Amino acid sequence: MKHRHVISLVIYFFFTVGILALVRVVVFEIKTGDICPKVLNIPICFPILSFFIIALISHITNKATYLYFICLGLAFLVALTASILHLTGHFTCPLTILKGVPKCYYAVGLLSGLIILKAIQFKEIEKDLA
């Protein structure tokens, strides 16, 4: 039980980091209009922020776990695609200020962590119910 609580706290921490980073990107996108790539003239950072918020609500309410995985899975695919395109030179991810590392790399790691931790937590919950 204690293990599950620690996992949940780490998930909350990852969500906090991710949502704060996304809010900052969305604010810059609103101010400048050229930070996020656009799909059908919609900056991709807007739906990604929505995916994070929906997944967080799913985690908080502990309901609709499938929605958690769908939302974060879609966000992961976008981050992974951006990372691959950045590596191949077809797209440039925004860089971090301090180290100059592409932010899409961090997004892949963060989203991987959220998905893996929730899968572990979900398996532990199912094991307790059995």
Side-chain angles (χ1 to χ4, degrees), residues 91-112:
F91 174 73
T92 303
C93 292
L95 304 176
T96 58
I97 294 170
L98 296 177
K99 305 243 183 200
V101 177
K103 291 181 181 179
C104 51
Y105 297 175
Y106 287 115
V108 168
L110 181 83
L111 288 159
S112 297

Side-chain angles (χ1 to χ4, degrees), residues 63-93:
K63 296 195 184 325
T65 305
Y66 66 92
L67 200 54
Y68 179 98
F69 288 112
I70 289 171
C71 287
L72 291 186
L74 290 170
F76 175 81
L77 288 176
V78 170
L80 184 63
T81 302
S83 296
I84 292 169
L85 290 174
H86 182 85
L87 285 170
T88 60
H90 292 94
F91 174 73
T92 303
C93 292

Side-chain angles (χ1 to χ4, degrees), residues 7-115:
I7 289 174
S8 189
L9 289 175
V10 173
I11 289 172
Y12 283 123
F13 174 74
F14 281 8
F15 269 119
T16 302
V17 169
I19 289 173
L20 288 176
L22 276 165
V23 165
R24 186 169 183 225
V25 170
V26 165
V27 168
F28 282 130
E29 175 63 30
I30 291 169
K31 286 181 180 178
T32 66
D34 65 349
I35 300 294
C36 299
K38 294 172 181 54
V39 176
L40 301 174
N41 283 333
I42 299 170
I44 199 68
C45 52
F46 295 168
I48 298 296
L49 179 60
S50 300
F51 292 156
F52 264 80
I53 291 169
I54 292 167
L56 176 61
I57 291 169
S58 173
H59 179 69
I60 290 170
T61 61
N62 211 13
K63 296 195 184 325
T65 305
Y66 66 92
L67 200 54
Y68 179 98
F69 288 112
I70 289 171
C71 287
L72 291 186
L74 290 170
F76 175 81
L77 288 176
V78 170
L80 184 63
T81 302
S83 296
I84 292 169
L85 290 174
H86 182 85
L87 285 170
T88 60
H90 292 94
F91 174 73
T92 303
C93 292
L95 304 176
T96 58
I97 294 170
L98 296 177
K99 305 243 183 200
V101 177
K103 291 181 181 179
C104 51
Y105 297 175
Y106 287 115
V108 168
L110 181 83
L111 288 159
S112 297
L114 282 167
I115 292 167

